[in-house]
Amino acid sequence: MSTHATPMPMTSRRAGPLTGVAEVPGDKSISHRSLLLGALAIGETKISGLLEGEDVLDTAKAMRAFGAEVIDHGKGNWSVFGVGVGGFQEPDNVIDCGNSGTGVRLIMGVMSTMPITATFTGDASLNKRPMARVTDPLALFGTQAVGRSGGRLPMTLVGTQEPVPVRYNVPVPSAQVKSAVLFAGLNAPGKTVVIEKEATRDHSERMLAGFGAEITVEDTDEGRVITLTGQPELQPQTIAVPRDPSSAAFPVCAALVTPGSDVLVPGIGLNPTRAGLFTTLREMGADLTYENEREEGGEPVADLRAKYSPNMTGIEVPPARAASMIDEYPVLSVVAAFATGKTMMAGVKELRVKESDRIDAMARGLRANGISVDEGDDWWSVEGCGPDGVTGGGTCESFLDHRIAMSFMVMGMGSQKPVSIDDGSPIATSFPIFESLMGNLGAHILRENV
Ligand code: S3P
């Protein structure tokens, strides 16, 4: 359980150049899905490179509670002996998904078309987040959900005895909602169809196909139409989880804003539905190159080389790119502070319902460090101060959000004065080795407030 009961103040101060190799952990989205789909296949799914962050460990615990055998062999190597599609047992106790929206929403999808009941909860951040976006489509299969006001956790789902396949237009750009409906469709007879207007990360589609499900994806005038044939027999897989582009974003952006830096971040998944940040940084004039481009486990992968980039300029980030970099806007806004001119980020309403309201959280922290920020309901802009112009010196609230915490630690690496956060403990949800990895590159992050 990730309660983050004891806040851990942290400070990042300017150090020498960041140099060396940054081996970031496995992809969080693919790690969750590897455990979930492994739990639905019959036989042993072998996973290497699993992200051992709190979010994924909570999903591993949940899979055990639903009856799968999940074995940790150490160093990111795991085995899952699944129970088959429709084979979950009813858990004896409440399922605690900690800080993880992906964990809870995907698990709800999977169990919702099985004849079992489960109650879900999470930490203070997760228990504020909207669940109706998932339980509304799950109701179409016949699933009942009772939660707190506003469709919030804790919440009980009564899985349906006789699921029917559904056709669903996802109303928000969300891979979690899309995936929950597809995973529910696994145990419904017939074809479940999910339509998304904008492409969101497609790991579920790729992995369902990899596990042997019949799934097609068509680009039509209506949007991306995904058709899944229910009740397949999923085949266990051997999965090498690529390293997480969302985690790579932190050492990459740190190198861009810290004078003299040259950092290599090897083996990063560059699925086009995830790589929007790197395109944006290159458009801003970042010295960021892809080396050794290749394919691993069905995903495009490359080694990223990022060097100090004092000539970056602010840009308008195309709203159509938002889904492919939705988790990276916080750290992009930090880079924008070190660029010259304004960076405009529009079409990003979803940022308001993440682990925190990320527009609000970043705007507060940036302002506390002397940066000018404008914001509206679904947009925000940051006025760059140039490569040497960020004063820093502020203390920022991380609002139980790992990406807010890490973004401000990156800011302190390039700013004139140190930058502090009230609580760095949420970093362990997605990037448990963040401090040591950044420290090995030359960063100065200390567990204290200045
Ligand atoms: C995720 C989808 C995104 C993303 C989250 C991981 C996933 O959320 O922000 O960190 O693995 O499907 P939404 O689906 O809510 O956009």
Side-chain angles (χ1 to χ4, degrees):
M1 193 172 115
S2 349
T3 50
H4 305 301
T6 318
M8 190 202 294
M10 284 170 48
T11 293
S12 172
R13 63 182 74 236
R14 199 164 184 166
L18 304 178
T19 54
V21 179
E23 297 201 326
V24 305
D27 189 282
K28 181 153 71 72
S29 294
I30 296 176
S31 293
H32 283 293
R33 287 161 174 81
S34 300
L35 293 169
L36 276 164
L37 291 172
L40 295 174
I42 304 256
E44 181 181 6
T45 287
K46 295 180 181 170
I47 310 168
S48 59
L50 188 86
L51 166 64
E52 293 174 339
E54 288 171 0
D55 278 12
V56 175
L57 297 178
D58 284 330
T59 290
K61 261 190 239 160
M63 290 305 97
R64 289 190 185 115
F66 283 105
E69 192 182 343
V70 182
I71 303 169
D72 174 3
H73 302 293
K75 298 194 172 154
N77 296 307
W78 290 64
S79 294
V80 183
F81 291 87
V83 292
V85 168
F88 274 13
Q89 70 183 31
E90 188 163 277
D92 293 334
N93 220 322
V94 174
I95 303 295
D96 189 338
C97 290
N99 190 251
S100 182
T102 308
V104 74
R105 291 182 175 130
L106 268 49
I107 298 169
M108 282 179 170
V110 172
M111 61 72 57
S112 69
T113 48
M114 300 188 199
I116 55 174
T117 294
T119 300
F120 297 89
T121 192
D123 71 3
S125 155
L126 188 58
N127 287 1
K128 278 189 212 151
R129 298 180 66 186
M131 294 299 141
R133 53 175 52 202
V134 169
T135 54
D136 285 352
L138 297 183
L140 304 174
F141 288 94
T143 308
Q144 288 172 278
V146 183
R148 286 193 305 144
S149 58
R152 290 170 303 139
L153 302 179
M155 181 175 274
T156 297
L157 260 67
V158 182
T160 171
Q161 305 270 350
E162 288 178 20
V164 289
V166 310
R167 184 181 175 88
Y168 190 66
N169 270 290
V170 186
V172 284
S174 167
Q176 293 176 3
V177 175
K178 167 179 70 177
S179 303
V181 179
L182 287 172
F183 289 172
L186 275 176
N187 199 38
K191 291 186 191 304
T192 285
V193 180
V194 183
I195 301 149
E196 57 177 4
K197 278 187 218 73
E198 299 161 46
T200 61
R201 66 191 66 196
D202 63 355
H203 306 301
S204 296
E205 296 91 304
R206 288 176 189 244
M207 292 178 74
L208 280 165
F211 275 80
E214 201 181 311
I215 182 165
T216 59
V217 181
E218 258 180 297
D219 283 314
T220 71
D221 292 345
E222 240 188 318
R224 265 182 100 240
V225 180
I226 307 152
T227 306
L228 173 77
T229 304
Q231 300 181 328
E233 201 167 294
L234 297 183
Q235 303 302 319
Q237 298 299 302
T238 298
I239 301 170
V241 179
R243 297 179 195 275
D244 198 325
S246 299
S247 296
F250 296 101
V252 163
C253 291
L256 301 181
V257 303
T258 308
S261 298
D262 182 349
V263 170
L264 184 72
V265 193
I268 298 306
L270 287 179
N271 179 318
T273 61
R274 295 288 301 283
L277 171 74
F278 305 125
T279 308
T280 301
L281 292 172
R282 299 213 288 194
E283 285 176 8
M284 293 171 79
D287 187 346
L288 172 63
T289 47
Y290 295 170
E291 298 177 358
N292 194 14
E293 288 181 60
R294 56 205 186 266
E295 186 152 312
E296 280 175 15
E299 296 275 348
V301 166
D303 305 335
L304 307 184
R305 183 174 288 281
K307 295 187 186 166
Y308 178 53
S309 302
N311 297 318
M312 291 186 287
T313 50
I315 62 163
E316 280 190 23
V317 183
R321 195 179 289 157
S324 69
M325 52 179 289
I326 194 68
D327 290 335
E328 284 67 72
Y329 282 95
V331 74
L332 173 66
S333 70
V334 167
V335 173
F338 290 88
T340 304
K342 183 193 281 196
T343 293
M344 169 60 103
M345 298 163 279
V348 290
K349 202 171 182 175
E350 280 295 298
L351 291 179
R352 297 212 178 265
V353 290
K354 295 293 178 189
E355 286 84 330
S356 66
D357 174 339
R358 286 182 169 161
I359 297 178
D360 180 63
M362 287 307 300
R364 285 168 190 255
L366 288 166
R367 288 180 189 133
N369 285 283
I371 314 293
S372 167
V373 182
D374 267 343
E375 63 178 292
D377 188 33
D378 72 341
W379 65 270
W380 54 318
S381 65
V382 173
E383 208 58 64
C385 300
D388 301 316
V390 177
T391 47
T395 296
C396 316
E397 267 183 87
S398 58
F399 297 99
L400 284 182
D401 188 330
H402 52 133
R403 300 203 197 281
I404 302 300
M406 289 187 279
S407 296
F408 285 119
M409 292 295 88
V410 168
M411 190 156 131
M413 293 170 205
S415 54
Q416 294 155 17
K417 294 186 208 156
V419 174
S420 297
I421 50 174
D422 65 335
D423 185 12
S425 64
I427 292 171
T429 61
S430 71
F431 201 159
I433 59 166
F434 175 75
E435 284 167 88
S436 60
L437 179 143
M438 293 308 306
N440 288 340
L441 297 177
H444 285 179
I445 301 176
L446 296 172
R447 291 192 178 194
E448 58 169 30
N449 266 118
V450 284

